[in-house]
């Protein structure tokens, strides 16, 4: 006898690399600059008008008039222009509700170039063979993209499983397309795997309580690191020759683009490793426990002030770069949704004391953490010696089993609302 599981809707994105010809790259750049300029014109129009004349209909009429009067704004498809308008209004709504600051102008060289395709039916996606697919981009034509994930297209697409739209984004490695996918998936069954605590670090990125470690090699090869150093030195030299107020030269901007390309390659490799590691952890363990770290405070500068200057500034700067490079917050965010998809859960426990407590005897003694990798318990009745990262991971799991898991932010809000409700009194 089989039981039918309930299904739930899921929305996610999938990013793929585009293979554009040089002519198509120029057209895409033109559309992206037109979208950025339309945002700036819309922002200028919005801030100059009185408040009583600001409305969505008036903004839509202004955009239509601008597309008629300015020829190169028509390079942007009409639906993409409407998407700019909706995004601008959503930015103001986020500002009014306290989720973000007020929107401003988008600079030419500091803004991510992007174009939105709001309707999925315009894409007309087909699969060419195992590695490549074809997608239709308005006013560009048919473009090849890297096929790395099965998409709900053709006979596999329906009202519940379909592509609702896409967004074209340009980074240091070229143009990419990010599909917006809506699917209907069965609710996962409860995970029956073991529990695990995870200690994040710099030397060992992920250390688990059962002794498992997830490590990685440097993201750049020796030649790539040497090339990055040469480019950074060249950029610093060319920047020193620039006069105050002078515009950045094309040579310096080209050097900046080369540096950004190498760093983007390292970030892509890091993302690939994080996805693989977190997927393996979510598939194996039913309960994943991590520390509730305030990473923003951990990477603050140690310079101090003029009255109270900091100490070991260079060492702290190197540690801050190492912590930021490991992207602990991104790994925890990946584990959060991946464990939920596998039927497991992720919990956070208080961070203080997890690295100094002995997981064998439970006693915290000064000087037990002799080095970054070795933990030696100074308790005369214990004397346990082991790996410091695994010791911290076991302490993290112990806090969860003792019932010291923190309530998530949404759960705390529910608890606060429940406490404010007064019980009904009998009349």
């Amino acid at each position: 006898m089989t039981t039918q599981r309930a299904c739930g809707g899921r929305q996610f994105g999938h990013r793929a690399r585009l293979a554009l010809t040089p002519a198509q790259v120029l057209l895409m750049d033109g559309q992206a600059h037109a979208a950025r300029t339309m945002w700036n014109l819309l922002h200028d129009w919005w801030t100059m008008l009185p408040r009583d004349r600001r409305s969505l209909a008036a903004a839509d009429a202004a955009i239509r008039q601008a597309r008629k009067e300015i020829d190169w704004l028509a390079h942007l498809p009409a639906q993409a222009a409407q998407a700019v308008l909706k995004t601008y209004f959503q930015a103001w709504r986020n500002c009014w509700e306290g989720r973000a600051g007020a929107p401003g102008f988008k600079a030419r060289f500091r803004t991510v170039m992007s174009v939105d395709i709001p309707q999925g039916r315009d894409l007309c996606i087909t699969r060419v063979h195992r590695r490549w697919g074809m997608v239709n981009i308005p006013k560009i034509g048919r473009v090849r993209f890297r096929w790395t994930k099965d998409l709900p297209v053709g006979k596999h697409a329906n009202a519940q499983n379909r592509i609702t739209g896409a967004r074209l984004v340009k980074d240091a490695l070229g143009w990419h397309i990010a599909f917006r996918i809506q699917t209907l998936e069965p609710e996962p069954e409860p995970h029956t795997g073991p529990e695990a605590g995870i200690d994040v670090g710099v030397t060992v990125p992920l250390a688990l309580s059962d002794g498992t470690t997830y490590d990685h090699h440097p993201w750049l090869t020796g030649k790539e690191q040497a090339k990055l150093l040469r480019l950074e030195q060249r950029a610093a030299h060319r920047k020193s020759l620039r006069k105050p107020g002078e515009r950045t030269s094309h040579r310096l901007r080209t050097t900046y683009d080369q540096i950004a390309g190498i760093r983007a390659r390292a970030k892509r490799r890091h993302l690939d490793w994080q996805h693989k590691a977190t997927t393996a952890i979510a598939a194996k363990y039913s309960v994943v426990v991590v520390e509730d770290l305030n990473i923003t405070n951990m990477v603050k500068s140690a310079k101090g002030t003029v009255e109270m200057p900091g100490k070991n500034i260079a060492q702290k700067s190197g540690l801050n770069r190492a912590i930021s490079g490991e992207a602990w917050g991104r790994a925890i965010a990946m584990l959060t949704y991946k464990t939920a998809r596998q039927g497991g859960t992720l919990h956070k426990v208080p961070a203080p004391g997890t690295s100094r407590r002995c997981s064998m005897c439970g006693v915290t003694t000064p000087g037990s953490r002799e080095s970054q990798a070795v933990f030696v318990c100074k308790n005369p009745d214990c004397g346990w010696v082991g790996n410091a990262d695994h010791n911290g991971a076991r302490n993290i799991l112990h806090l969860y089993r003792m019932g010291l898991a923190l309530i998530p932010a949404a759960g705390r809000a529910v608890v606060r609302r429940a406490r404010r409700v007064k019980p009904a009194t009998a009349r």
Side-chain angles (χ1 to χ4, degrees):
M1 181 178 178
T2 60
T3 58
Q4 199 171 20
R5 289 183 290 167
C7 295
R10 174 171 169 253
Q11 296 181 355
F12 64 97
H14 172 64
R15 184 165 171 164
R17 176 165 55 90
L18 292 174
L20 298 170
T21 63
Q24 290 174 337
V25 170
L26 292 177
L27 291 175
M28 284 300 308
D29 291 347
Q31 287 192 12
H33 285 304
R36 180 188 59 82
T37 305
M38 185 164 293
W39 172 286
N40 292 339
L41 293 175
L42 182 61
H43 181 68
D44 199 8
W45 173 87
W46 179 271
T47 53
M48 287 192 305
L49 275 184
R51 291 187 177 182
D52 55 347
R53 296 179 57 187
R54 299 174 183 175
S55 65
L56 185 61
D60 180 59
I63 285 180
R64 295 176 184 272
Q65 185 66 24
R67 285 170 55 83
K68 292 179 181 179
E69 296 178 355
I70 305 175
D71 296 338
W72 55 271
L73 281 182
H75 295 169
L76 186 67
Q79 294 181 353
Q82 294 296 319
V84 173
L85 175 61
K86 292 180 180 179
T87 305
Y88 183 77
F89 266 73
Q90 183 62 41
W92 274 114
R93 194 174 294 112
N94 294 337
C95 174
W96 295 332
E97 296 176 1
R99 293 192 297 265
F105 288 96
K106 292 188 176 182
R108 180 180 178 86
F109 295 106
R110 295 192 301 271
T111 303
V112 177
M113 300 178 67
S114 62
V115 179
D116 198 73
I117 305 176
Q119 296 186 3
R121 64 171 180 264
D122 297 334
L123 298 174
C124 302
I125 301 172
T126 56
R127 187 170 185 177
V128 179
H129 52 79
R130 184 172 64 90
R131 293 181 178 272
W132 293 95
M134 296 288 289
V135 60
N136 182 64
I137 299 178
K139 293 196 175 184
I140 300 294
R142 301 292 289 175
V143 178
R144 290 194 309 160
F145 69 93
R146 189 72 170 178
W147 191 285
T148 57
K149 183 181 181 64
D150 290 335
L151 301 174
V153 297
K155 62 181 181 180
H156 301 290
N158 50 49
Q160 290 78 25
N161 301 280
R162 59 193 179 94
I163 295 177
T164 59
R167 189 174 185 84
L168 306 170
V169 183
K170 185 178 183 181
D171 61 6
L173 298 178
W175 279 98
H176 298 76
I177 183 168
F179 298 104
R180 293 189 290 269
I181 306 173
Q182 175 183 326
T183 62
L184 189 66
E185 296 181 351
E187 295 293 336
E189 296 180 351
H191 204 298
T192 58
E195 301 172 346
I198 299 180
D199 180 73
V200 294
V202 175
T203 305
V204 180
L206 298 175
L208 276 63
S209 55
D210 60 358
T212 308
T213 58
Y214 289 88
D215 201 353
H216 57 76
H217 299 290
W219 306 123
L220 297 176
T221 64
K223 291 184 179 180
E224 290 172 337
Q225 292 178 356
K227 182 179 179 180
L228 178 61
L229 179 61
R230 290 197 305 269
L231 291 173
E232 289 177 342
Q233 292 175 345
R234 184 184 304 169
H237 175 67
R238 289 176 175 173
K239 186 178 179 181
S240 65
L241 299 177
R242 188 179 61 181
K243 299 178 181 179
E246 186 180 0
R247 297 184 62 179
T248 304
S249 64
H250 291 290
R251 289 185 177 183
L252 180 56
R253 198 170 300 282
T254 301
T255 307
Y256 284 154
D257 293 340
Q258 293 174 341
I259 293 173
I262 296 177
R263 290 178 176 172
R265 197 178 308 150
K267 181 180 178 180
R268 178 176 293 183
R269 293 169 184 171
H270 191 186
L271 273 172
D272 179 69
W273 176 85
Q274 277 190 327
H275 273 293
K276 291 178 179 177
T278 53
T279 300
I281 293 173
K284 183 177 180 181
Y285 301 98
S286 61
V287 176
V288 177
V289 189
V290 297
E291 295 175 291
D292 185 27
L293 298 174
N294 192 337
I295 303 175
T296 303
N297 291 340
M298 295 177 65
V299 296
K300 283 187 176 180
S301 175
K303 289 184 178 180
T305 61
V306 178
E307 295 78 11
M308 299 181 63
K311 298 180 181 179
N312 299 326
I313 299 175
Q315 292 85 341
K316 184 64 170 63
S317 299
L319 178 62
N320 292 347
R321 286 193 298 269
I323 293 175
S324 301
E326 291 300 330
W328 296 340
R330 187 170 61 198
I332 294 174
M334 290 180 181
L335 284 171
T336 302
Y337 75 84
K338 289 184 179 182
T339 51
R341 289 185 60 191
Q342 295 289 341
T345 55
L346 182 136
H347 300 275
K348 293 183 179 182
V349 297
T354 54
S355 61
R356 298 190 299 270
R357 176 184 178 273
C358 177
S359 61
M360 187 63 64
C361 64
V363 177
T364 301
T365 54
S368 296
R369 188 75 179 264
E370 292 191 347
S371 65
Q372 184 66 29
V374 180
F375 183 91
V376 180
C377 182
K378 299 299 183 179
N379 185 9
D381 299 330
C382 179
W384 178 78
V385 180
N387 185 274
D389 298 312
H390 297 317
N391 175 74
R394 284 192 287 267
N395 288 328
I396 293 171
L397 182 60
H398 172 74
L399 291 177
Y400 165 75
R401 290 174 174 173
M402 292 295 292
L404 298 178
L406 300 175
I407 303 177
R412 287 196 293 267
V414 172
V415 171
R416 286 195 297 267
R417 286 196 297 268
R419 289 175 179 174
R420 287 197 297 265
V421 175
K422 296 181 180 180
T425 57
R427 294 182 179 178

